[in-house]
Amino acid sequence: ASAFFVTQTLRGLSRDGRTVIASVHQPSSEVFELFDQLYLLSGGKTFFARAGFPCPALRNPSDHFLRCINSDFDKVKATLKGSMKLRFEASDDPLEKTTTAEAIRTLTDFYRTSQQCYAAKERVDEISKVKGTVLDSGGSQASFLMQSYTLTKRSFINMSRDFGYYWLRLLIYVVVTVCIGTIYLNIGTSYNSILARGSCASFVFGFVTFMSIGGFPSFVEDMKVFQRERLNGHYGVTAFVIGNTISAMPFLIMITFISGTICYFMVRLHPGLEHYLFFVLCLYASVTVVESLMMAIASIVPNFLMGIIIGAGIQGIFMLVSGYFRLPNDIPKPVWRYPMSYISFHFWAL
């Protein structure tokens, strides 16, 4: 019923002086009858529907036409014959006596010499001689601010409804930071606690931010929608990035402040509001950088498995030159100290 309604609407548009080209797959008889002209495509070739193979009585014409040109039926029959699971009985259907390739060849040869083919060529020539203006792509009629607002709102709703986007990551962050807090519980300020503090900070800014890779599959799905809508001229790259960034901010702030607060007060890092805010904001900045990094990778590598591997590799290198596993002054200067350690956000966070 939905397909029938949509096709009726398109048919109404065509009656208002528009040309409507639609792709339809195995429609019902009611929908099929609404179309004015029919072209059947197989391997990029065009066919004339009524050439050579009449439609049997009580069969849906669209099913019959597709059956004529779909080579998958030959593969199925060959497989069943080979497994001896199909017994072929005598039939009047001409398709049972020929292969799909032969049927396609018969149809194309018939069409090339038919009156319909000549009439179509003449009509195309007539249309080609008509002088007209070149249609320019109008693009989106919405302003840049409206585009950004709409994308931000849509992205925020999508993120809030998808449990795996940020809610699951919030849960994991809380569990991990509670584990960190219990292991480094009330670490103190003695000389012996210096190494433990460094280890705690390295884990928080290294492995905790590492978990942001989990959002990569969602980024890949967003990129698919973005590419399609951008080609349609709805909005550009800047509006998409702004919308995605602003909509993610409340979730990232919530995740980092909750997990950062748990870690900060369980470990008993330096007391004072300034120290606390600096620690949490550093964690927020690090997570935001990882989110942006994964979004950049998603725009280059559409395969989410390959993207996760590449993102993990890049973060692994950044962690290596962060100044914890080897002190900053001891890192080899060519490449690793300059520029890798200065590119690494872990280096600045620590």
Side-chain angles (χ1 to χ4, degrees):
S2 299
F4 183 78
F5 174 77
V6 170
T7 311
Q8 279 282 21
T9 305
L10 293 174
R11 184 179 174 88
L13 289 173
S14 70
R15 295 299 179 265
D16 292 336
R18 295 176 177 85
T19 300
V20 179
I21 302 174
S23 170
V24 62
H25 302 273
Q26 286 187 281
S28 65
S29 299
E30 291 81 3
V31 171
F32 183 72
E33 289 173 357
L34 295 176
F35 287 89
D36 299 312
Q37 303 286 341
L38 174 67
Y39 280 95
L40 297 172
L41 300 178
S42 177
K45 299 174 184 176
T46 309
F47 299 91
F48 177 55
R50 292 180 290 180
F53 296 90
C55 179
L58 303 180
R59 180 181 292 183
N60 187 336
S62 62
D63 291 335
H64 172 73
F65 297 146
L66 287 174
R67 169 69 181 85
C68 290
I69 63 171
N70 191 346
S71 59
D72 292 338
F73 286 98
D74 288 351
K75 297 174 186 176
V76 172
K77 284 179 6 185
T79 303
L80 293 173
K81 276 184 179 178
S83 61
M84 300 299 290
K85 291 182 179 179
L86 183 65
R87 295 180 182 178
F88 289 95
E89 300 175 355
S91 173
D92 294 333
D93 191 346
L95 291 172
E96 297 295 340
K97 302 172 185 177
T98 183
T99 64
T100 305
E102 291 171 351
I104 290 173
R105 193 158 47 247
T106 302
L107 286 163
T108 49
D109 291 342
F110 180 87
Y111 179 72
R112 286 196 190 100
T113 58
S114 68
Q115 182 60 37
Q116 285 80 5
C117 180
Y118 294 122
K121 288 180 179 178
E122 288 178 1
R123 182 63 180 141
V124 170
D125 291 337
E126 289 175 12
I127 295 172
S128 301
K129 294 175 182 176
V130 176
K131 300 295 182 181
T133 56
V134 178
L135 293 176
D136 296 323
S137 176
S140 176
Q141 300 300 312
S143 65
F144 178 78
L145 289 176
M146 179 55 70
Q147 292 175 17
S148 301
Y149 169 76
T150 304
L151 290 172
T152 302
K153 182 180 178 182
R154 185 179 72 175
S155 182
F156 180 81
I157 293 172
N158 185 35
M159 290 173 179
S160 61
R161 288 176 177 173
D162 188 349
F163 178 73
Y165 215 125
Y166 285 114
W167 300 116
L168 181 61
R169 285 158 64 186
L170 171 62
L171 182 64
I172 295 172
Y173 269 69
V174 170
V175 171
V176 171
T177 48
V178 167
C179 294
I180 295 171
T182 52
I183 290 173
Y184 295 100
L185 186 65
N186 195 11
I187 203 168
T189 56
S190 65
Y191 181 81
N192 294 329
S193 68
I194 293 174
L195 181 62
R197 283 175 176 272
S199 302
C200 177
S202 177
F203 191 91
V204 169
F205 291 111
F207 293 100
V208 171
T209 55
F210 199 87
M211 290 188 297
S212 292
I213 292 177
F216 186 79
S218 300
F219 289 144
V220 172
E221 294 303 315
D222 288 345
M223 288 304 302
K224 291 178 182 177
V225 176
F226 161 69
Q227 288 167 356
R228 183 172 65 250
E229 293 181 340
R230 185 193 177 196
L231 287 174
N232 288 331
H234 296 324
Y235 51 83
V237 177
T238 307
F240 173 74
V241 172
I242 290 174
N244 211 291
T245 303
I246 295 176
S247 60
M249 283 178 65
F251 298 100
L252 295 181
I253 291 172
M254 179 176 62
I255 287 172
T256 51
F257 267 78
I258 291 175
S259 56
T261 302
I262 292 171
C263 177
Y264 187 88
F265 288 104
M266 287 186 73
V267 177
R268 296 247 182 124
L269 298 174
H270 286 298
L273 181 63
E274 285 187 15
H275 292 298
Y276 164 70
L277 289 176
F278 187 78
F279 173 77
V280 172
L281 287 172
C282 275
L283 184 58
Y284 168 74
S286 300
V287 172
T288 304
V289 168
V290 177
E291 293 275 313
S292 303
L293 173 66
M294 297 311 294
M295 189 186 294
I297 294 174
S299 66
I300 301 170
V301 186
N303 183 290
F304 77 88
L305 183 59
M306 288 295 296
I308 289 174
I309 293 171
I310 292 171
I314 292 173
Q315 284 210 66
I317 294 172
F318 284 172
M319 289 165 62
L320 196 60
V321 295
S322 64
Y324 172 73
F325 297 100
R326 191 148 194 216
L327 294 174
N329 292 333
D330 297 333
I331 298 173
K333 289 185 178 179
V335 181
W336 296 116
R337 181 74 187 277
Y338 311 105
M340 287 306 299
S341 67
Y342 287 89
I343 296 174
S344 167
F345 70 89
H346 300 86
F347 179 82
W348 297 104
L350 286 178

